[in-house]
Amino acid sequence: MSQLLIALPAVTFLQATLMGLLQGASELFPVSSLGHAVLFPALVGWDRLAAAQAKPESFFLAFLVGLHVATAIALLVYFRQDWAKIIRGFFRSLGRRAIDTPEERLAWLLVVATIPAGIVGLALEHKLRVVFAKPLAAAAFLMVNGVILFVEERYRRRAEVRAVAARHGTYEDRSSRRLETLEFREAGIIGVAQVLALFAGISRSGITMVAGLARGLDHEDAARFSFLLATPIILAAGLYKIPDLFGPLGDGIRGQVLVGSIAAGVMAYLTVRFLMRYFETRTLTPFAIYCILFGAAMVVKFA
C-alpha cells in the first residue's frame, strides 16, 4: 500500500480537473476561491492536497498558480473590448497629461484601486496563506464573508425604502451612479477592501462589489469594476509565481496543471458571462446565505 501511495502523482488528472472547475467558478462567484480551495480537498478526503496548502512551499501552491493565470486570461478574453479601450485611454491620458474621457478615468481608477492589494499582497500574501490556509479558519472567514454580503444588501434595501418614503411613493434609485463618476479616493477604498481577500474565505469579487455598492454603484457596475480590478491582480500574482512550475515544485504535475488550467479558464469564462447577466437584475443575497450556511457547516465539521 505504501508503495502504491508513493507511485501516485501529487495531483491526479481528476483532481486537477475538479479543482480547475472549482477555481474558475469560485474566483468570480462571491464565495472565495481560496476558501474553497482549502475546504474542498479536506472535505472530500484529499489529505495530501489539504496538508500541502499550509506549507511555506508546496506542489499544490505551484498547481494553483496555473489555475489563477487561466482565470485571469478568461477575464481578459471576456472583457477584451473594455480592456482595449482602457489601455488606449491610459496611454492617451499619459500623453496629454489629462483625463478627459470615461475610458481614461476608468483606467486610472483601476490603477489607483490596484495599488493597495498589490503592495500588501507582495508583503503578506505568502505569510497569510501559510497561517490561515486551514479548513477551520477558512470556514470561519467564509461565514464572515457571507455576513458582509448580507449586511450590505440589507443596508441598501433599507436605504431604498427610506428614499421611497421621502419622495411620497416616487422611487429614487440609490444605485443609479455611474462607474466613471467614482472619485479616486473611492477607488482607493475599494482597493483597500480587496486586501481582505488575502484571507482564505473572504471573496475578492464579493468584498470589492460590497465596497462598490457602498459607494452607490448598482450591482452590474459594481460587478464589472470588481472583475476588471481582479484581472491584473490575479494575472500578476500568477505570472510572478509561475517560475515555481518550472522548478522542483512543478515536477510531476505540469500535465495536470495544463488540464486544470483549461478547466479553470473555460469555467471562468462561462461564470463571468452568467454573472454579468445575473447582476443586471439580482443581488448578492443568495451568495451571502450560501456562505453563512456552508461556512457554519464546515466550522462544525472541522472544529
Side-chain angles (χ1 to χ4, degrees):
M1 177 63 73
S2 61
Q3 291 178 345
L4 177 61
L5 289 175
I6 293 173
L8 289 175
V11 182
T12 68
F13 282 98
L14 175 61
Q15 290 172 334
T17 302
L18 293 177
M19 291 299 296
L21 294 173
L22 182 66
Q23 160 65 25
S26 59
E27 182 69 52
L28 304 179
F29 280 103
V31 298
S32 178
S33 63
L34 182 55
H36 280 73
V38 172
L39 289 168
F40 185 70
L43 183 61
V44 298
W46 294 346
D47 296 333
R48 192 173 184 182
L49 300 189
Q53 298 202 50
K55 294 181 179 179
E57 300 291 341
S58 76
F59 68 89
F60 190 63
L61 300 183
F63 168 74
L64 289 179
V65 167
L67 305 190
H68 280 80
V69 171
T71 303
I73 291 173
L75 286 172
L76 282 173
V77 171
Y78 182 82
F79 289 108
R80 59 191 179 277
Q81 294 181 348
D82 296 75
W83 278 112
K85 295 176 182 177
I86 289 167
I87 292 170
R88 285 197 299 267
F90 174 78
F91 286 106
R92 199 164 53 234
S93 67
L94 276 181
R96 293 200 309 263
R97 296 185 180 181
I99 300 173
D100 296 324
T101 68
E103 291 78 15
E104 293 170 2
R105 185 170 184 81
L106 179 56
W108 284 102
L109 287 171
L110 289 169
V111 169
V112 171
T114 299
I115 292 172
I119 294 174
V120 178
L122 284 174
L124 298 177
E125 187 272 339
H126 191 75
K127 295 178 181 178
L128 291 175
R129 179 184 288 274
V130 171
V131 173
F132 292 105
K134 298 176 176 63
L136 184 58
F141 278 119
L142 190 62
M143 291 180 63
V144 172
N145 184 73
V147 170
I148 292 172
L149 301 184
F150 187 79
V151 168
E152 169 57 24
E153 290 294 354
R154 292 285 291 178
Y155 171 75
R156 285 176 61 80
R157 181 59 184 162
R158 289 180 179 177
E160 289 169 357
V161 170
R162 287 196 299 269
V164 170
R167 290 181 174 262
H168 305 286
T170 301
Y171 182 77
E172 178 188 11
D173 187 357
R174 176 179 173 266
S175 308
S176 60
R177 184 181 187 187
R178 299 302 302 165
L179 174 57
E180 294 80 7
T181 67
L182 282 180
E183 298 178 8
F184 290 115
R185 64 178 181 81
E186 293 176 308
I189 291 171
I190 296 174
V192 170
Q194 188 179 201
V195 171
L196 295 176
L198 295 174
F199 294 94
I202 302 296
S203 166
R204 182 192 311 276
S205 61
I207 202 69
T208 51
M209 276 197 68
V210 164
L213 292 169
R215 304 315 303 165
L217 298 179
D218 63 19
H219 287 84
E220 185 179 2
D221 268 355
R224 179 170 172 248
F225 190 69
S226 174
F227 295 146
L228 289 172
L229 179 59
T231 305
I233 290 289
I234 298 172
L235 186 61
L239 293 177
Y240 175 72
K241 294 185 177 181
I242 209 165
D244 290 347
L245 286 174
F246 299 98
L249 294 178
D251 291 345
I253 65 168
R254 294 186 184 97
Q256 292 89 321
V257 169
L258 178 60
V259 170
S261 296
I262 292 172
V266 171
M267 179 58 77
Y269 184 83
L270 295 176
T271 299
V272 70
R273 280 188 62 185
F274 168 77
L275 288 175
M276 288 307 297
R277 294 174 183 174
Y278 173 91
F279 284 122
E280 290 177 3
T281 57
R282 300 182 184 179
T283 72
L284 292 166
T285 301
F287 306 108
I289 295 171
Y290 165 79
C291 289
I292 293 170
L293 294 180
F294 182 62
M298 293 301 97
V299 167
V300 172
K301 179 173 177 60
F302 294 111

